[in-house]
Amino acid sequence: MKIVIDAWLERKDPQIRFLDGDNASVLMQVGPALTRQLLGHGEISIEDLQNPLNHDLAALVFRMLRIPVANEVF
């Protein structure tokens, strides 16, 4: 599954959307409070979101979406 990350972090109400890479449907949207918490606790960073091959971020996204993934995918 290809996931596209659409992140708006420089807004007063930052948010992150995870989209299906094939049809652009929204898989999950993270609102301002959780986005700030993830950034504040170091769970994600701007650099993570800019790197398409970030395995830690991919694992976090798949866990949040509750998608089982075999280790060899990463």
Side-chain angles (χ1 to χ4, degrees), residues 16-62:
I16 304 169
R17 294 187 317 159
F18 299 95
L19 310 173
D20 183 307
D22 294 325
N23 61 23
S25 64
V26 177
L27 300 170
M28 182 175 64
Q29 183 165 334
V30 179
L34 183 54
T35 298
R36 284 188 197 103
Q37 180 180 347
L38 291 170
L39 289 167
H41 290 163
E43 294 285 332
I44 60 171
S45 69
I46 293 172
E47 293 79 21
D48 290 337
L49 297 172
Q50 293 173 333
N51 181 358
L53 299 176
N54 186 305
H55 300 301
D56 293 333
L57 178 60
L60 173 66
V61 170
F62 278 85

